Amino acid sequence: MLESERQRIDEINAAMTRLFEERMQVSAKIAQVKVEHQLSLTNVGREQEVIASQVAQLKDATLAPYLTDFYRDVMLISKQYQAKTIKGLGQTK
Ligand SMILES: O=C(O)C(=O)C[C@]1(C(=O)O)C=C[C@@H](O)C=C1
């Protein structure tokens, strides 16, 4: 019971983990540019744009509120990582 569904979830999780890691690496690079140009970490307009464009790609529109929450969480985690990255800049240890 549920073996094949859990196996598929495991495969999807593995793909998401790989993409998560890649996304966080890009996020850290953005953080460095933001420091150099003295930009704030949060860009509300960009966050709205990300959510709207991803929601528009859904085939099942009933998932819109869940995908919105998902990207809100992803971007919050991204900003937490950016803040930690920035704190580490210029430190020798
Ligand atoms: O695009 C940016 O400016 C980012 O810092 C990336 C990102 C994201 O993780 O997608 C994170 C924080 C911003 O508020 C908007 C988007």
Side-chain angles (χ1 to χ4, degrees), residues 43-57:
N43 183 327
V44 176
R46 172 62 184 162
E47 292 189 15
Q48 286 170 348
E49 204 177 272
V50 167
I51 291 169
S53 99
Q54 295 310 310
V55 164
Q57 292 176 53

Side-chain angles (χ1 to χ4, degrees), residues 9-24:
I9 290 269
D10 285 344
E11 288 167 6
I12 293 167
N13 284 345
M16 288 176 72
T17 297
R18 186 182 58 74
L19 291 171
F20 174 78
E21 204 166 358
E22 195 179 330
R23 196 184 197 286
M24 292 292 261

Side-chain angles (χ1 to χ4, degrees), residues 44-90:
V44 176
R46 172 62 184 162
E47 292 189 15
Q48 286 170 348
E49 204 177 272
V50 167
I51 291 169
S53 99
Q54 295 310 310
V55 164
Q57 292 176 53
L58 279 173
K59 289 183 195 131
D60 178 357
T62 67
L63 293 176
Y66 304 100
L67 190 68
T68 298
D69 283 351
F70 175 77
Y71 275 103
R72 283 205 181 117
D73 285 351
V74 165
M75 289 189 279
L76 177 63
I77 291 163
S78 168
K79 285 185 285 184
Q80 288 167 344
Y81 189 54
Q82 287 186 342
K84 184 149 190 290
T85 305
I86 286 168
K87 258 184 150 182
L89 289 175

Side-chain angles (χ1 to χ4, degrees), residues 1-14:
M1 205 180 62
L2 296 180
E3 283 85 4
S4 68
E5 290 82 2
R6 288 195 174 137
Q7 194 180 342
R8 187 63 195 130
I9 290 269
D10 285 344
E11 288 167 6
I12 293 167
N13 284 345

